[in-house]
Amino acid sequence: MRNLWKLPSSSVNRVKRYLSTHRVPCIPLKKQREIERIRITQNNFQLGSLILVAYSFPSEESSVRMRKHVSRLLRRSPYLKLTRNIYLWPQISFRRLLPQGSKIISPRRFVDAIQKLGGETIIIPRIKIEDKIALELLEAIKDIRTKEFTSIELACKKLIQQLKESSVSALKAKYSFNEIKIRFIHTKETFFFLKKVYKIDLMKIYRKALRAINECKKVIQIQSKMPIVSIVD
């Protein structure tokens, strides 16, 4: 993994200075001996211990289909993105926190899925990052989830408009709506998990997406029940 370097502690500062001189961004990670708990209050912000997952695919096997599959996995993952193909998960008991049948992707499930696709993986537990960087990563997570909910809302509005203009059939609209609804269910579950773990609050944008889903469903139901009118000379 070319974006991931392992260094002895004695070399860290020297390497950071070198990278800074050449304007190469660097995020220092430290491996802890013990697991640290998450602490998020008004006066205290610590993400606790994290699990690092890095992956790569052989260039000849990397395909659009694989990238789409990974994208779907990440949509159901409560991750913090460090850089391309390198992510952090909270080091918590997923089995204890998740209800039975949950679609949330834990780091182990993600690694297993990547390996089944023929990818190479690295998984490192008990990772610690600086609080300042943690805040930046958490803000990035909010942006990602906000964009996902907004995308769902806009997709519903577009479908409603197409139905009103009769530019799409009721059958095709149902198929498109089912895809949007699945995206919403996965995004919703991941959001509420992040809300529980990291106190992320995006309820306003979530409710807008939910209203759009319900409105779209209602319009499709009305259109489906309309009789087919034949005009005969």
Side-chain angles (χ1 to χ4, degrees):
M1 310 285 174
R2 62 181 181 178
N3 291 332
L4 187 63
W5 297 356
K6 184 178 180 180
L7 300 169
S9 56
S10 59
S11 302
V12 171
N13 290 333
R14 185 172 73 254
V15 172
K16 284 174 66 177
R17 285 195 299 269
Y18 175 83
L19 293 175
S20 178
T21 301
H22 291 79
R23 297 184 179 181
V24 178
C26 172
I27 300 176
L29 307 172
K30 184 179 180 181
K31 185 166 183 179
Q32 300 170 298
R33 292 185 178 180
E34 297 180 357
I35 296 175
E36 184 179 301
R37 293 179 61 187
I38 299 169
R39 293 182 179 86
I40 299 178
T41 65
Q42 282 187 327
N43 303 318
N44 190 12
F45 182 87
Q46 295 178 7
L47 287 185
S49 297
L50 300 159
I51 298 175
L52 181 144
V53 176
Y55 72 92
S56 65
F57 291 106
S59 57
E60 65 272 11
E61 293 182 9
S62 183
S63 64
V64 174
R65 183 183 63 82
M66 281 185 177
R67 288 195 292 272
K68 285 184 177 180
H69 189 82
V70 173
S71 180
R72 287 194 293 268
L73 289 171
L74 289 172
R75 188 177 294 144
R76 293 154 50 197
S77 303
Y79 66 86
L80 301 167
K81 184 177 181 179
L82 282 179
T83 185
R84 185 172 178 267
N85 296 5
I86 302 178
Y87 300 90
L88 296 168
W89 268 257
Q91 185 153 358
I92 54 178
S93 174
F94 281 83
R95 287 186 179 181
R96 182 173 57 84
L97 288 175
L98 295 178
Q100 188 174 6
S102 172
K103 300 296 183 181
I104 292 286
I105 301 293
S106 67
R108 174 45 59 188
R109 285 182 66 186
F110 184 81
V111 166
D112 290 345
I114 294 295
Q115 289 176 348
K116 285 180 181 178
L117 290 171
E120 298 178 356
T121 60
I122 294 175
I123 182 165
I124 307 174
R126 303 193 309 278
I127 292 294
K128 172 73 174 176
I129 59 175
E130 296 174 2
D131 292 343
K132 180 182 177 181
I133 295 173
L135 274 170
E136 294 174 359
L137 294 178
L138 209 57
E139 285 302 316
I141 276 290
K142 291 180 183 178
D143 289 343
I144 290 170
R145 303 303 166 184
T146 297
K147 287 176 181 176
E148 287 176 353
F149 279 131
T150 301
S151 174
I152 289 166
E153 180 190 2
L154 293 176
C156 285
K157 288 181 176 180
K158 181 181 178 180
L159 191 56
I160 290 170
Q161 188 63 31
Q162 288 175 332
L163 282 165
K164 288 180 178 179
E165 295 173 351
S166 299
S167 60
V168 65
S169 67
L171 184 62
K172 188 174 180 180
K174 282 183 179 180
Y175 179 80
S176 298
F177 178 70
N178 283 336
E179 288 188 330
I180 297 170
K181 186 169 67 173
I182 290 170
R183 280 177 56 202
F184 176 75
I185 290 169
H186 291 162
T187 304
K188 171 188 172 183
E189 186 178 16
T190 307
F191 158 59
F192 275 100
F193 183 82
L194 288 165
K195 185 175 185 291
K196 183 177 183 179
V197 175
Y198 289 139
K199 316 299 181 189
I200 289 176
D201 187 8
L202 297 174
M203 290 302 295
K204 185 176 180 180
I205 191 70
Y206 157 72
R207 290 193 181 103
K208 287 178 70 176
L210 178 61
R211 283 195 297 270
I213 285 283
N214 289 333
E215 184 182 356
C216 193
K217 180 181 178 181
K218 184 177 180 181
V219 171
I220 289 173
Q221 287 175 337
I222 292 171
Q223 292 284 339
S224 299
K225 292 177 181 177
M226 288 178 65
I228 298 173
V229 179
S230 298
I231 301 175
V232 180
D233 289 333

